[in-house]
Amino acid sequence: MKRFNESWDYAKDNWHAKWDRDNKHYDSERAEAQYQGTTDTFIPLPFSTVETMTSALNNADLRFDYTSGDPMKRVDTRPLNALVDEWAEDDGWDLSFEESYRETFIVGMDGNMLTWEGDHPHLESYAMRDIIIDPTVRNPAELQKPGRYAGRRFFVRKGDLDDIEVLDSDPKSNTFGEMIPRYKKEDGTSKGQQEPTDKELKEMFSGSVLNKPNDNQDEIIEIWDIDRVVTIKNRCYVIEDVVNPHKARHEFLLTQQYLQGVDEPDELAVKEATDKAKAEAKGLNPFFFRNYRRKSLMYAKGELDSIHKEVERLNDMTNMETDNLIKHVAPQKELDPEYEDWQDLIDDDPGTVYPFKPGSLQDRQPPSLPANAFANRQDAKNDIREATAIDQLAKGVQNVKDTTATEVQAQLQQTGQRIQSKARIFKKDAFYWMGFILMRLVQLYVDEPLVVKVPGATVNKEEVFAKYGIELPQGTAIFDPADYVGEWRPRVVLEVDGEHKQSEERRIARENYQILIQDPTNNLEEAKKILYPKMFDMDKDDLAAIMTPAVAPEMPMGSEGALPPEMGAPSAQLPAPAGAPGV
């Protein structure tokens, strides 16, 4: 619990209030209202800001490419990339990415866990309140070092964990090789822990959707480092404390490798092999984070933190203006005390006659609205848009009448640059570590060749059949895990960033082509072969067909090479046209 308390206390003292405020603003709720009146409206600029950014990034396709750490190693990575694409489609990674982008823009970061389930990876995203992370960690790389930790917090129905079983892999156990309960039964509180107080229970079940979560749910805390995994139930009971399963898997694979060629009776050799595998086995922390972290902090602020004061000011001013308008349309009234008993009978129905002296019932004159009130609200909106670079034009509501073409281009450029900057942050940070974890999972758990769909793949079917005994259908290839042993580095491509680079490359190719065709001594055919593929986003075969000159049809010839009459000179039998000489 020491690790959980470190993480929880730091987040609660420094971040929970900000996260609550920014989530309220995203949900169009007031968090720090300074004006309380009749009107209670909310201008949903935080929502539109977050959704605009989320849609810009989520519409960009994500692609993982991998390169070997060995520069001499040459492996066709298309089968691996196709396998990753298939997993992403089946597991719904695009929806998880959308949730993650949105959470990051709202509160500054979000937590993700990539696990292995059966024969495929599974991605889970968590709100930051449910994430546990070592507060001294400064970047994601440190989570893969000894002593650093991360984890998650979640709820389960009471009794849901009782039926979960795992295979007992401890050779010293009496139940080795049998299915046993994964989690221990609680038998009193853990050492140093006490039953939670009412205040702690309320905090413990914050986020639950049930009316009486204490009676129906258990809080589960799961903390990982690269050596062990500890699971705690209701902050009292340690129900699991095991070796990091990825480390155990790596040790198992290394043991198999080092025992090859070792005679079983040779106990010394077996012990040396197992000891070596145990010493070299590496664990894996499956958590990675998307964030705007600062140089010295893992935690960071979101897009809404920088505009929250302007958001509250805008809504205060809007509500005050609306209240003032209401007072003009439906003004308050003054009544002579002589008619006090009539107060509850007075209404605004037309044609009503009251037996009062003239001037006894009259409207109160509300204060006039300042002339610059609207301008002040517009200034607040502009400040918000400028701070986030999500201007009117980016959302399709720009009034072009008062904006020059240069200003429009500058606004678009600023918005595009900010989105590309955010894409680079995600690409170089969170997605890189997702790719790193994904490759480690592939190396640990994919232990046999797989057939994957690779459109346009060209493979030697005879060699494949001789090596794997498989007849490959058209458009498929073999993913062989033996090709991916060793160090592999992920290279992440986000389409929003990739399209910008591709557009720039096309522009340069067109400019080069325009320069080259000016000189007739240049080999224009070679220029087309080299530059056309860079200039056009077309299928290579289609482009080659277009570039191939059409063959002229052979002309039928008459006797002695003369053209036949129907294609040559007019026949002698035809009458000469009028006006010809001799006619």
Side-chain angles (χ1 to χ4, degrees), residues 83-118:
L83 187 61
V84 172
D85 290 342
E86 184 178 323
W87 285 334
E89 181 69 23
D90 293 343
D91 197 42
W93 289 2
D94 54 342
L95 298 180
S96 295
F97 292 157
E98 182 176 354
E99 293 172 0
S100 294
Y101 292 139
R102 187 175 289 111
E103 183 75 8
T104 303
F105 292 139
I106 295 173
V107 302
M109 65 186 295
D110 89 308
N112 303 268
M113 182 183 185
L114 193 61
T115 60
W116 190 265
E117 295 188 355

mmCIF file of all heavy atoms in Angstrom, residues 83-118:
data_model
loop_
_atom_site.group_PDB
_atom_site.id
_atom_site.type_symbol
_atom_site.label_atom_id
_atom_site.label_comp_id
_atom_site.label_asym_id
_atom_site.label_seq_id
_atom_site.Cartn_x
_atom_site.Cartn_y
_atom_site.Cartn_z
ATOM 1 N N LEU A 83 0.025 -7.921 -39.310
ATOM 2 C CA LEU A 83 -0.486 -8.597 -38.117
ATOM 3 C C LEU A 83 -0.929 -7.579 -37.068
ATOM 4 O O LEU A 83 -1.983 -7.720 -36.443
ATOM 5 C CB LEU A 83 0.603 -9.510 -37.545
ATOM 6 C CG LEU A 83 0.207 -10.422 -36.384
ATOM 7 C CD1 LEU A 83 -0.906 -11.377 -36.802
ATOM 8 C CD2 LEU A 83 1.426 -11.204 -35.881
ATOM 9 N N VAL A 84 -0.137 -6.515 -36.898
ATOM 10 C CA VAL A 84 -0.499 -5.461 -35.946
ATOM 11 C C VAL A 84 -1.795 -4.769 -36.382
ATOM 12 O O VAL A 84 -2.672 -4.482 -35.562
ATOM 13 C CB VAL A 84 0.650 -4.445 -35.811
ATOM 14 C CG1 VAL A 84 0.208 -3.235 -34.983
ATOM 15 C CG2 VAL A 84 1.868 -5.090 -35.169
ATOM 16 N N ASP A 85 -1.924 -4.506 -37.681
ATOM 17 C CA ASP A 85 -3.153 -3.881 -38.193
ATOM 18 C C ASP A 85 -4.374 -4.761 -37.924
ATOM 19 O O ASP A 85 -5.453 -4.263 -37.579
ATOM 20 C CB ASP A 85 -3.034 -3.620 -39.697
ATOM 21 C CG ASP A 85 -2.040 -2.515 -40.014
ATOM 22 O OD1 ASP A 85 -1.717 -1.739 -39.099
ATOM 23 O OD2 ASP A 85 -1.575 -2.441 -41.168
ATOM 24 N N GLU A 86 -4.194 -6.069 -38.069
ATOM 25 C CA GLU A 86 -5.296 -7.000 -37.823
ATOM 26 C C GLU A 86 -5.694 -7.002 -36.354
ATOM 27 O O GLU A 86 -6.884 -6.962 -36.017
ATOM 28 C CB GLU A 86 -4.872 -8.405 -38.254
ATOM 29 C CG GLU A 86 -5.960 -9.455 -38.129
ATOM 30 C CD GLU A 86 -5.491 -10.823 -38.611
ATOM 31 O OE1 GLU A 86 -4.730 -10.873 -39.605
ATOM 32 O OE2 GLU A 86 -5.878 -11.833 -37.982
ATOM 33 N N TRP A 87 -4.716 -7.000 -35.476
ATOM 34 C CA TRP A 87 -5.008 -6.939 -34.040
ATOM 35 C C TRP A 87 -5.713 -5.632 -33.681
ATOM 36 O O TRP A 87 -6.652 -5.622 -32.888
ATOM 37 C CB TRP A 87 -3.716 -7.059 -33.237
ATOM 38 C CG TRP A 87 -3.145 -8.445 -33.192
ATOM 39 C CD1 TRP A 87 -3.827 -9.619 -33.327
ATOM 40 C CD2 TRP A 87 -1.773 -8.806 -33.000
ATOM 41 N NE1 TRP A 87 -2.967 -10.682 -33.227
ATOM 42 C CE2 TRP A 87 -1.702 -10.222 -33.023
ATOM 43 C CE3 TRP A 87 -0.598 -8.079 -32.807
ATOM 44 C CZ2 TRP A 87 -0.508 -10.909 -32.856
ATOM 45 C CZ3 TRP A 87 0.593 -8.761 -32.642
ATOM 46 C CH2 TRP A 87 0.641 -10.152 -32.665
ATOM 47 N N ALA A 88 -5.221 -4.527 -34.251
ATOM 48 C CA ALA A 88 -5.807 -3.219 -33.955
ATOM 49 C C ALA A 88 -7.276 -3.172 -34.377
ATOM 50 O O ALA A 88 -8.123 -2.615 -33.664
ATOM 51 C CB ALA A 88 -5.021 -2.119 -34.662
ATOM 52 N N GLU A 89 -7.582 -3.756 -35.526
ATOM 53 C CA GLU A 89 -8.957 -3.769 -36.024
ATOM 54 C C GLU A 89 -9.845 -4.640 -35.134
ATOM 55 O O GLU A 89 -10.956 -4.246 -34.757
ATOM 56 C CB GLU A 89 -8.987 -4.291 -37.466
ATOM 57 C CG GLU A 89 -10.361 -4.337 -38.102
ATOM 58 C CD GLU A 89 -10.932 -2.962 -38.374
ATOM 59 O OE1 GLU A 89 -10.149 -2.005 -38.486
ATOM 60 O OE2 GLU A 89 -12.167 -2.854 -38.463
ATOM 61 N N ASP A 90 -9.361 -5.819 -34.772
ATOM 62 C CA ASP A 90 -10.166 -6.752 -33.983
ATOM 63 C C ASP A 90 -10.380 -6.254 -32.558
ATOM 64 O O ASP A 90 -11.430 -6.495 -31.960
ATOM 65 C CB ASP A 90 -9.500 -8.131 -33.948
ATOM 66 C CG ASP A 90 -9.480 -8.797 -35.316
ATOM 67 O OD1 ASP A 90 -10.247 -8.362 -36.194
ATOM 68 O OD2 ASP A 90 -8.692 -9.745 -35.513
ATOM 69 N N ASP A 91 -9.385 -5.575 -31.992
ATOM 70 C CA ASP A 91 -9.473 -5.142 -30.592
ATOM 71 C C ASP A 91 -10.057 -3.740 -30.446
ATOM 72 O O ASP A 91 -10.225 -3.254 -29.321
ATOM 73 C CB ASP A 91 -8.076 -5.195 -29.953
ATOM 74 C CG ASP A 91 -8.130 -5.177 -28.431
ATOM 75 O OD1 ASP A 91 -8.991 -5.875 -27.861
ATOM 76 O OD2 ASP A 91 -7.324 -4.461 -27.815
ATOM 77 N N GLY A 92 -10.361 -3.072 -31.556
ATOM 78 C CA GLY A 92 -10.970 -1.750 -31.481
ATOM 79 C C GLY A 92 -10.050 -0.680 -30.935
ATOM 80 O O GLY A 92 -10.457 0.155 -30.129
ATOM 81 N N TRP A 93 -8.791 -0.692 -31.391
ATOM 82 C CA TRP A 93 -7.846 0.295 -30.881
ATOM 83 C C TRP A 93 -8.247 1.713 -31.251
ATOM 84 O O TRP A 93 -7.936 2.655 -30.520
ATOM 85 C CB TRP A 93 -6.437 -0.004 -31.413
ATOM 86 C CG TRP A 93 -5.822 -1.225 -30.794
ATOM 87 C CD1 TRP A 93 -6.406 -2.053 -29.877
ATOM 88 C CD2 TRP A 93 -4.520 -1.764 -31.041
ATOM 89 N NE1 TRP A 93 -5.549 -3.070 -29.546
ATOM 90 C CE2 TRP A 93 -4.386 -2.921 -30.236
ATOM 91 C CE3 TRP A 93 -3.469 -1.385 -31.860
ATOM 92 C CZ2 TRP A 93 -3.226 -3.693 -30.240
ATOM 93 C CZ3 TRP A 93 -2.312 -2.157 -31.863
ATOM 94 C CH2 TRP A 93 -2.192 -3.295 -31.056
ATOM 95 N N ASP A 94 -8.924 1.896 -32.385
ATOM 96 C CA ASP A 94 -9.292 3.251 -32.782
ATOM 97 C C ASP A 94 -10.213 3.900 -31.758
ATOM 98 O O ASP A 94 -10.097 5.097 -31.464
ATOM 99 C CB ASP A 94 -9.944 3.244 -34.170
ATOM 100 C CG ASP A 94 -11.128 2.288 -34.256
ATOM 101 O OD1 ASP A 94 -11.234 1.392 -33.385
ATOM 102 O OD2 ASP A 94 -11.943 2.427 -35.185
ATOM 103 N N LEU A 95 -11.121 3.118 -31.161
ATOM 104 C CA LEU A 95 -11.995 3.665 -30.130
ATOM 105 C C LEU A 95 -11.217 3.979 -28.857
ATOM 106 O O LEU A 95 -11.469 4.998 -28.194
ATOM 107 C CB LEU A 95 -13.130 2.678 -29.825
ATOM 108 C CG LEU A 95 -14.077 2.355 -30.986
ATOM 109 C CD1 LEU A 95 -15.145 1.361 -30.549
ATOM 110 C CD2 LEU A 95 -14.733 3.633 -31.503
ATOM 111 N N SER A 96 -10.268 3.107 -28.507
ATOM 112 C CA SER A 96 -9.431 3.371 -27.332
ATOM 113 C C SER A 96 -8.588 4.620 -27.546
ATOM 114 O O SER A 96 -8.406 5.426 -26.624
ATOM 115 C CB SER A 96 -8.527 2.167 -27.041
ATOM 116 O OG SER A 96 -9.281 1.039 -26.670
ATOM 117 N N PHE A 97 -8.065 4.787 -28.769
ATOM 118 C CA PHE A 97 -7.268 5.982 -29.069
ATOM 119 C C PHE A 97 -8.126 7.245 -28.935
ATOM 120 O O PHE A 97 -7.672 8.257 -28.405
ATOM 121 C CB PHE A 97 -6.691 5.900 -30.482
ATOM 122 C CG PHE A 97 -5.651 4.829 -30.645
ATOM 123 C CD1 PHE A 97 -5.367 4.305 -31.896
ATOM 124 C CD2 PHE A 97 -4.960 4.326 -29.563
ATOM 125 C CE1 PHE A 97 -4.413 3.324 -32.059
ATOM 126 C CE2 PHE A 97 -4.003 3.336 -29.713
ATOM 127 C CZ PHE A 97 -3.728 2.839 -30.971
ATOM 128 N N GLU A 98 -9.366 7.173 -29.415
ATOM 129 C CA GLU A 98 -10.250 8.343 -29.323
ATOM 130 C C GLU A 98 -10.485 8.722 -27.869
ATOM 131 O O GLU A 98 -10.436 9.907 -27.501
ATOM 132 C CB GLU A 98 -11.582 8.053 -30.022
ATOM 133 C CG GLU A 98 -12.531 9.236 -30.002
ATOM 134 C CD GLU A 98 -13.806 8.984 -30.784
ATOM 135 O OE1 GLU A 98 -13.897 7.921 -31.440
ATOM 136 O OE2 GLU A 98 -14.712 9.831 -30.731
ATOM 137 N N GLU A 99 -10.751 7.724 -27.016
ATOM 138 C CA GLU A 99 -10.937 8.000 -25.594
ATOM 139 C C GLU A 99 -9.675 8.607 -24.994
ATOM 140 O O GLU A 99 -9.734 9.527 -24.169
ATOM 141 C CB GLU A 99 -11.288 6.704 -24.860
ATOM 142 C CG GLU A 99 -12.637 6.116 -25.240
ATOM 143 C CD GLU A 99 -12.853 4.746 -24.637
ATOM 144 O OE1 GLU A 99 -11.940 4.260 -23.926
ATOM 145 O OE2 GLU A 99 -13.922 4.151 -24.859
ATOM 146 N N SER A 100 -8.521 8.095 -25.406
ATOM 147 C CA SER A 100 -7.256 8.578 -24.852
ATOM 148 C C SER A 100 -6.967 10.008 -25.276
ATOM 149 O O SER A 100 -6.523 10.833 -24.461
ATOM 150 C CB SER A 100 -6.110 7.665 -25.301
ATOM 151 O OG SER A 100 -6.248 6.380 -24.741
ATOM 152 N N TYR A 101 -7.177 10.313 -26.563
ATOM 153 C CA TYR A 101 -6.978 11.692 -27.026
ATOM 154 C C TYR A 101 -7.857 12.649 -26.227
ATOM 155 O O TYR A 101 -7.400 13.696 -25.752
ATOM 156 C CB TYR A 101 -7.332 11.818 -28.504
ATOM 157 C CG TYR A 101 -6.412 11.097 -29.456
ATOM 158 C CD1 TYR A 101 -6.932 10.400 -30.547
ATOM 159 C CD2 TYR A 101 -5.041 11.103 -29.276
ATOM 160 C CE1 TYR A 101 -6.106 9.739 -31.430
ATOM 161 C CE2 TYR A 101 -4.208 10.441 -30.160
ATOM 162 C CZ TYR A 101 -4.743 9.751 -31.236
ATOM 163 O OH TYR A 101 -3.927 9.096 -32.108
ATOM 164 N N ARG A 102 -9.125 12.279 -26.072
ATOM 165 C CA ARG A 102 -10.071 13.153 -25.389
ATOM 166 C C ARG A 102 -9.648 13.367 -23.942
ATOM 167 O O ARG A 102 -9.646 14.507 -23.437
ATOM 168 C CB ARG A 102 -11.473 12.542 -25.469
ATOM 169 C CG ARG A 102 -12.560 13.447 -24.926
ATOM 170 C CD ARG A 102 -13.937 12.846 -25.146
ATOM 171 N NE ARG A 102 -14.317 12.876 -26.560
ATOM 172 C CZ ARG A 102 -14.420 11.798 -27.324
ATOM 173 N NH1 ARG A 102 -14.186 10.598 -26.827
ATOM 174 N NH2 ARG A 102 -14.771 11.907 -28.599
ATOM 175 N N GLU A 103 -9.290 12.290 -23.254
ATOM 176 C CA GLU A 103 -8.875 12.407 -21.858
ATOM 177 C C GLU A 103 -7.614 13.255 -21.726
ATOM 178 O O GLU A 103 -7.483 14.073 -20.812
ATOM 179 C CB GLU A 103 -8.623 11.003 -21.280
ATOM 180 C CG GLU A 103 -8.257 10.973 -19.815
ATOM 181 C CD GLU A 103 -9.426 11.227 -18.890
ATOM 182 O OE1 GLU A 103 -10.578 11.273 -19.383
ATOM 183 O OE2 GLU A 103 -9.205 11.393 -17.680
ATOM 184 N N THR A 104 -6.685 13.102 -22.662
ATOM 185 C CA THR A 104 -5.440 13.872 -22.615
ATOM 186 C C THR A 104 -5.710 15.350 -22.812
ATOM 187 O O THR A 104 -5.140 16.199 -22.116
ATOM 188 C CB THR A 104 -4.463 13.371 -23.683
ATOM 189 O OG1 THR A 104 -4.222 11.981 -23.477
ATOM 190 C CG2 THR A 104 -3.140 14.118 -23.609
ATOM 191 N N PHE A 105 -6.560 15.707 -23.765
ATOM 192 C CA PHE A 105 -6.851 17.111 -23.999
ATOM 193 C C PHE A 105 -7.601 17.735 -22.823
ATOM 194 O O PHE A 105 -7.455 18.922 -22.549
ATOM 195 C CB PHE A 105 -7.663 17.277 -25.282
ATOM 196 C CG PHE A 105 -6.898 16.937 -26.527
ATOM 197 C CD1 PHE A 105 -7.487 16.225 -27.554
ATOM 198 C CD2 PHE A 105 -5.582 17.312 -26.662
ATOM 199 C CE1 PHE A 105 -6.780 15.905 -28.700
ATOM 200 C CE2 PHE A 105 -4.859 17.000 -27.801
ATOM 201 C CZ PHE A 105 -5.458 16.301 -28.826
ATOM 202 N N ILE A 106 -8.405 16.934 -22.109
ATOM 203 C CA ILE A 106 -9.165 17.474 -20.987
ATOM 204 C C ILE A 106 -8.275 17.678 -19.767
ATOM 205 O O ILE A 106 -8.224 18.768 -19.189
ATOM 206 C CB ILE A 106 -10.346 16.553 -20.632
ATOM 207 C CG1 ILE A 106 -11.359 16.514 -21.782
ATOM 208 C CG2 ILE A 106 -11.036 17.022 -19.353
ATOM 209 C CD1 ILE A 106 -12.471 15.501 -21.586
ATOM 210 N N VAL A 107 -7.562 16.626 -19.338
ATOM 211 C CA VAL A 107 -6.840 16.703 -18.062
ATOM 212 C C VAL A 107 -5.319 16.678 -18.212
ATOM 213 O O VAL A 107 -4.604 16.827 -17.229
ATOM 214 C CB VAL A 107 -7.270 15.564 -17.113
ATOM 215 C CG1 VAL A 107 -8.756 15.620 -16.847
ATOM 216 C CG2 VAL A 107 -6.871 14.202 -17.658
ATOM 217 N N GLY A 108 -4.798 16.454 -19.423
ATOM 218 C CA GLY A 108 -3.353 16.526 -19.612
ATOM 219 C C GLY A 108 -2.671 15.208 -19.846
ATOM 220 O O GLY A 108 -1.568 15.168 -20.392
ATOM 221 N N MET A 109 -3.284 14.087 -19.422
ATOM 222 C CA MET A 109 -2.668 12.778 -19.670
ATOM 223 C C MET A 109 -3.708 11.689 -19.433
ATOM 224 O O MET A 109 -4.770 11.938 -18.862
ATOM 225 C CB MET A 109 -1.442 12.570 -18.768
ATOM 226 C CG MET A 109 -1.736 12.507 -17.290
ATOM 227 S SD MET A 109 -0.232 12.428 -16.274
ATOM 228 C CE MET A 109 0.467 10.850 -16.750
ATOM 229 N N ASP A 110 -3.383 10.496 -19.902
ATOM 230 C CA ASP A 110 -4.228 9.351 -19.598
ATOM 231 C C ASP A 110 -3.353 8.106 -19.556
ATOM 232 O O ASP A 110 -2.237 8.091 -20.080
ATOM 233 C CB ASP A 110 -5.362 9.192 -20.634
ATOM 234 C CG ASP A 110 -4.963 8.338 -21.805
ATOM 235 O OD1 ASP A 110 -3.909 8.632 -22.404
ATOM 236 O OD2 ASP A 110 -5.671 7.382 -22.135
ATOM 237 N N GLY A 111 -3.850 7.071 -18.889
ATOM 238 C CA GLY A 111 -3.078 5.849 -18.725
ATOM 239 C C GLY A 111 -3.614 4.725 -19.588
ATOM 240 O O GLY A 111 -4.822 4.606 -19.801
ATOM 241 N N ASN A 112 -2.708 3.895 -20.085
ATOM 242 C CA ASN A 112 -3.070 2.771 -20.949
ATOM 243 C C ASN A 112 -2.294 1.536 -20.526
ATOM 244 O O ASN A 112 -1.146 1.630 -20.084
ATOM 245 C CB ASN A 112 -2.752 3.092 -22.411
ATOM 246 C CG ASN A 112 -3.442 4.352 -22.891
ATOM 247 O OD1 ASN A 112 -4.538 4.305 -23.418
ATOM 248 N ND2 ASN A 112 -2.796 5.494 -22.693
ATOM 249 N N MET A 113 -2.914 0.390 -20.717
ATOM 250 C CA MET A 113 -2.300 -0.878 -20.365
ATOM 251 C C MET A 113 -2.445 -1.830 -21.545
ATOM 252 O O MET A 113 -3.556 -2.062 -22.031
ATOM 253 C CB MET A 113 -2.967 -1.460 -19.122
ATOM 254 C CG MET A 113 -2.374 -2.767 -18.639
ATOM 255 S SD MET A 113 -3.297 -3.403 -17.204
ATOM 256 C CE MET A 113 -2.308 -4.833 -16.772
ATOM 257 N N LEU A 114 -1.330 -2.378 -22.003
ATOM 258 C CA LEU A 114 -1.342 -3.325 -23.117
ATOM 259 C C LEU A 114 -1.004 -4.708 -22.571
ATOM 260 O O LEU A 114 0.096 -4.931 -22.066
ATOM 261 C CB LEU A 114 -0.322 -2.903 -24.180
ATOM 262 C CG LEU A 114 -0.424 -3.598 -25.542
ATOM 263 C CD1 LEU A 114 -1.779 -3.330 -26.184
ATOM 264 C CD2 LEU A 114 0.692 -3.138 -26.470
ATOM 265 N N THR A 115 -1.973 -5.609 -22.624
ATOM 266 C CA THR A 115 -1.804 -6.950 -22.072
ATOM 267 C C THR A 115 -1.896 -7.988 -23.185
ATOM 268 O O THR A 115 -2.264 -7.677 -24.321
ATOM 269 C CB THR A 115 -2.880 -7.243 -21.023
ATOM 270 O OG1 THR A 115 -4.179 -7.151 -21.641
ATOM 271 C CG2 THR A 115 -2.797 -6.245 -19.879
ATOM 272 N N TRP A 116 -1.584 -9.230 -22.851
ATOM 273 C CA TRP A 116 -1.702 -10.332 -23.805
ATOM 274 C C TRP A 116 -2.814 -11.253 -23.345
ATOM 275 O O TRP A 116 -2.787 -11.749 -22.213
ATOM 276 C CB TRP A 116 -0.386 -11.091 -23.910
ATOM 277 C CG TRP A 116 -0.392 -12.061 -25.054
ATOM 278 C CD1 TRP A 116 -0.688 -13.384 -25.006
ATOM 279 C CD2 TRP A 116 -0.115 -11.775 -26.435
ATOM 280 N NE1 TRP A 116 -0.614 -13.941 -26.253
ATOM 281 C CE2 TRP A 116 -0.265 -12.973 -27.156
ATOM 282 C CE3 TRP A 116 0.238 -10.621 -27.112
ATOM 283 C CZ2 TRP A 116 -0.058 -13.048 -28.526
ATOM 284 C CZ3 TRP A 116 0.438 -10.693 -28.486
ATOM 285 C CH2 TRP A 116 0.303 -11.891 -29.175
ATOM 286 N N GLU A 117 -3.802 -11.456 -24.208
ATOM 287 C CA GLU A 117 -4.932 -12.312 -23.876
ATOM 288 C C GLU A 117 -5.048 -13.437 -24.890
ATOM 289 O O GLU A 117 -5.504 -13.224 -26.019
ATOM 290 C CB GLU A 117 -6.235 -11.501 -23.838
ATOM 291 C CG GLU A 117 -6.269 -10.460 -22.732
ATOM 292 C CD GLU A 117 -7.630 -9.812 -22.582
ATOM 293 O OE1 GLU A 117 -8.517 -10.129 -23.414
ATOM 294 O OE2 GLU A 117 -7.802 -9.000 -21.660
ATOM 295 N N GLY A 118 -4.601 -14.617 -24.493
ATOM 296 C CA GLY A 118 -4.691 -15.785 -25.365
ATOM 297 C C GLY A 118 -3.731 -15.719 -26.528
ATOM 298 O O GLY A 118 -2.561 -16.088 -26.420
#
